[in-house]
Amino acid sequence: MRIFSSVLAVASILHLSSGGPIPRQDGGSYVGYLLSTFSDANPQVFWYLSDASDPLAFKSLNGGNSILESTVGTRAVRDVFLASNTARSEYFMIATDLDINADGFSWDEATRRGSRGLIIWKTTNLVDWSEPTLTTIEDDTAGMAWAPSAVWNDDEQQYYVFWASRHYSSTDSDHTGTANLDRIRYSTTKDFVTFSSPADYVALDGIPLIDQEFLDLGTPGAYARFIKDENVNQVYQETTTGGLFGEWTRVPGYIGDNPLSEGPASFPDVENNAVYHLLLDNYEQYVPFQTNDIDSGSWEKSSSASFPAGLKHGSVLRLTQSEYDAITSKY
């Protein structure tokens, strides 16, 4: 087994209190959740807003229509992720550039000669968005760049961006041969326009990996991360106290009792900071889980009676009152 990493330690971006609503660094608190997602039938960005602070009750926004549509690349997006800095002065929506509904679509072709870039939108207020851009982030040896996520580093004032890819020999320019196993890659950026050279973040012998997402655990350097093992098509958890590039400890087994899961989206509860939530895509829709013992990796299915059906691989952003009000007013 090999794990490729750097000695760089990345600081925590959010800090949790010992009780009550989760405070921001500027003294505010989070009051609800925004879920960004897509659908297989309509691969654009859709938003769902929580019913106040209820993490399991969401309503569709914009009359059930998409809030962002790609007009570049394949003109379709999947695996959407909404990123922000600590100050909440900017937000970026990033997504996989992939259209599985295109004529003659082939998963094999998509992994060999698919898009090596991300679809990106920017806003400063969550309601007025830029036009989409398609920015190449991967090397020529890569077959694709899928399932992006991002973590803001306050000390360095930049984002760490992660995605899944597979690579072919530098002598196989047409990518007709056998690739190496899917792995998690990363790059850094300050503006989502210019990116550092990509590098391996997690690459394992014998285990192809995709769909990674982080969960900030509230103290500097403490994270959980969730990754899909493509051999068994299930998601597992790891934890660390040493930052994004520290030593990670694998929680034995896999999460949930479904034989298929991917696209993890995780977030802390805004009412009880001992509780964490996790959404897993069972290839049809999201299934919600929760735990009050994050280190154990013991997740229980949440009551999903009020959780919307049909939601796919996306992300959840906790909202301040001003953000919640702005979104409600716009959509």
Side-chain angles (χ1 to χ4, degrees), residues 19-43:
I22 309 301
R24 300 201 328 272
Q25 289 185 356
D26 63 5
S29 61
Y30 297 106
V31 300
Y33 314 91
L34 178 65
L35 197 162
S36 303
T37 186
F38 75 100
S39 73
D40 285 330
N42 192 349

Side-chain angles (χ1 to χ4, degrees), residues 137-153:
I137 58 169
E138 259 296 5
D139 294 334
D140 291 342
T141 55
M144 80 289 189
W146 285 357
S149 65
V151 175
W152 169 254
N153 183 301

Side-chain angles (χ1 to χ4, degrees), residues 175-290:
H175 299 178
T176 58
T178 301
N180 61 23
L181 294 179
D182 296 346
R183 59 196 55 209
I184 306 300
R185 303 266 283 172
Y186 82 100
S187 177
T188 60
T189 182
K190 293 181 180 292
D191 55 12
F192 282 86
V193 175
T194 302
F195 291 81
S196 67
S197 297
D200 284 343
Y201 179 62
V202 184
L204 302 181
D205 283 339
I207 304 177
L209 304 172
I210 65 172
D211 292 5
Q212 175 191 254
E213 185 173 313
F214 294 98
L215 173 63
D216 190 313
L217 299 182
T219 57
Y223 291 92
R225 71 181 177 194
F226 308 91
I227 308 177
K228 180 188 178 186
D229 177 341
E230 285 275 83
N231 281 340
V232 296
N233 293 316
Q234 294 192 68
V235 172
Y236 65 87
Q237 176 186 327
E238 294 182 316
T239 58
T240 187
T241 58
L244 298 183
F245 292 84
E247 294 295 323
W248 290 83
T249 300
R250 168 77 183 266
V251 175
Y254 298 91
I255 301 172
D257 55 5
N258 192 76
L260 301 173
S261 63
E262 61 182 8
S266 56
F267 54 101
D269 194 280
V270 300
E271 294 287 348
N272 184 343
N273 60 25
V275 174
Y276 296 90
H277 303 277
L278 175 66
L279 307 179
L280 293 182
D281 186 337
N282 68 359
Y283 285 44
E284 295 181 357
Q285 62 186 353
Y286 263 140
V287 177
F289 294 81
Q290 66 184 52

